[in-house]
Amino acid sequence: MENKKTNPKKKQGKSLTKRITGWLHLWLGLVSGIIVLTVTLSGTVFVFCDEIIDWCGGSAKYVQAPAHAKKMTPEALLAHFHQQIPDRKAFYFDTYKEADRSFRVASATKPPKDKNVGKAEKPKKKGRGPRGVFAYHYLDPYTGKVIGSTKSYEFFYVVAHIHAQLLAGKFGKTVVGVASIIFFIQLIGGLILWWPKKWNKTTRTAAFKIKSGTKWRRKNYDFHNVFGFYSLLPAVFITITGLIMAYEVLTNLTQQAFGGAVDAHTIAEKYEPKFDPEKKALSYADFADRKFKEFPDAKQFRMSIPRNDSAAVYHVVAAQFIGLKSLVNGKSMETNKYTGKEIDYPEEVQRHEVIEHMNFDLHVGYWGGMFGKIFTFIIGIICTSLPITGFLIWWGRRNKSPKKNKEVKNIHQHRKDSHHEQLV
């Protein structure tokens, strides 16, 4: 007599939602993986640009201050710089309150004067295009002598443009934008795939911990699954802030949502002074002295060098520390070159600048000092690893040994036959 099991429970597979999500997660990841890897890696490297640039400056950042000596004016130091290095053009300088700090100049190599000169006749090492190659030079503020230099500025300029546009202009920016949208979808899809069907002790352990004593394939899967979950919220946040910078429509929506002016630059021009050849501009030294008095805690002053004499607005920064794209305990401002006073823009224009800088700081980790940088760096490392660990998961499943698969299939068949015999 044959005993049949009543109402046998069939093993339920993945839901349709998870099957569709899994298919999209796989193929979107394979399509965008190399782009996402490049963008996240370059962004991660950029986080500590200020610290690396300072490290590259080495001992040139400091000088032996002579007793009772007075620092040369920025104008005189810039003149010394151009005399010693005539093939470069300065575009901003940093001066410091401390007596032993050197004067720093940011400059670029000058492009060839004759645009019609053939490539073979162009001077060597003039950089890519009219902007030239960026560098920092350090000068002794008491003698005007160049005492050191670093091209770390150029390195991070390239890194930033790899991150934003893969060094491919508008086309590269479009590619990065699309890859970023895909990465955002991947993060949401990853959460759906990560979410256990039932919550119990076993699924909680698998979802939140990396199992020890397993082979590398399982560890790789756990790393992708577990660390992907832990980095999800900050990764989504970083991706959204990046998309806001990448797409004008999102930039405008963000400005409107927080009360910033969309056409801030157009509005700002109405409040800026007009060039007057009869008026005399304040010296760079006057600006530095005024801002150090206005901001007594500031230790560093930066001033952009206007491209021509007709410019009536000077961009200056005074803070405890001013990095490549950051500042600590200070202010960045547009000033009237004739009076030295900050230009009084309407509130919506000022708010536009605050929103723009805040979004950038949130994107690169400048929101929380060193903690914010370390936190963003770790998230960046995890995000950079996700395309790699995801690819290894796919490759491992794709290249499973046929022999092993056959053995597993035979084991399942043997168990099925044994179970059938027991019922007979």
Side-chain angles (χ1 to χ4, degrees), residues 77-79 81-93 104-113 125-126 130-137 139 153 284 303-309:
L77 289 165
L78 289 168
F81 169 75
H82 287 119
Q83 285 173 6
Q84 295 172 75
I85 310 176
D87 65 334
R88 301 191 70 87
K89 182 175 177 60
F91 52 86
Y92 74 71
F93 66 84
R104 187 170 73 171
V105 178
S107 66
T109 48
K110 295 178 181 178
K113 292 182 180 180
K125 298 182 180 179
K126 287 294 181 181
R131 71 164 185 83
V133 175
F134 293 162
Y136 279 127
H137 284 77
L139 281 70
Y153 192 156
Y284 297 163
M303 183 170 185
S304 297
I305 301 168
R307 294 183 179 181
N308 49 62
D309 294 336

Side-chain angles (χ1 to χ4, degrees), residues 135-336:
Y136 279 127
H137 284 77
Y138 299 87
L139 281 70
D140 187 320
Y142 302 98
T143 65
K145 182 181 178 181
V146 175
I147 56 177
S149 66
T150 171
K151 288 186 179 177
S152 52
Y153 192 156
E154 173 70 11
F155 172 77
F156 283 107
Y157 179 91
V158 172
V159 167
H161 281 71
I162 289 173
H163 182 72
Q165 55 182 235
L166 304 175
L167 297 178
K170 291 183 179 180
F171 173 75
K173 185 177 180 180
T174 301
V175 172
V176 170
V178 172
S180 299
I181 293 171
I182 290 175
F183 185 63
F184 177 78
I185 296 171
Q186 290 287 83
L187 291 171
I188 304 304
L191 177 63
I192 294 171
L193 295 173
W194 169 89
W195 198 273
K197 189 175 182 180
K198 292 182 179 180
W199 285 101
N200 52 47
K201 185 178 180 180
T202 302
T203 57
R204 280 196 299 271
T205 301
F208 297 110
K209 295 181 180 178
I210 295 177
K211 191 175 181 180
S212 60
T214 57
K215 293 183 178 180
W216 75 267
R217 282 186 177 177
R218 177 53 193 255
K219 286 192 183 303
N220 177 73
Y221 175 82
D222 284 348
F223 189 94
H224 185 85
N225 199 39
V226 176
F227 282 98
F229 169 75
Y230 285 132
S231 65
L232 176 67
L233 284 179
V236 167
F237 200 74
I238 291 171
T239 304
I240 290 173
T241 52
L243 288 171
I244 289 171
M245 289 189 286
Y247 289 100
E248 186 178 356
V249 62
L250 294 179
T251 302
N252 294 341
L253 285 172
T254 303
Q255 290 290 347
Q256 290 172 350
F258 293 98
V262 173
D263 54 345
H265 298 295
T266 304
I267 297 172
E269 289 179 359
K270 299 175 183 178
Y271 294 83
E272 293 173 353
K274 304 300 179 183
F275 173 67
D276 187 348
E278 301 298 322
K279 289 184 179 180
K280 184 179 179 181
L282 295 175
S283 69
Y284 297 163
D286 287 335
F287 270 92
D289 292 341
R290 283 168 179 257
K291 295 309 171 185
F292 276 137
K293 288 178 181 178
E294 188 178 341
F295 299 92
D297 293 333
K299 295 181 179 180
Q300 183 179 353
F301 171 80
R302 174 174 296 175
M303 183 170 185
S304 297
I305 301 168
R307 294 183 179 181
N308 49 62
D309 294 336
S310 62
V313 178
Y314 287 169
H315 177 72
V316 301
V317 188
Q320 285 187 351
F321 172 82
I322 307 169
L324 192 62
K325 298 286 287 184
S326 66
L327 62 89
V328 177
N329 295 335
K331 190 175 183 181
S332 172
M333 64 203 93
E334 305 298 329
T335 55
N336 186 317

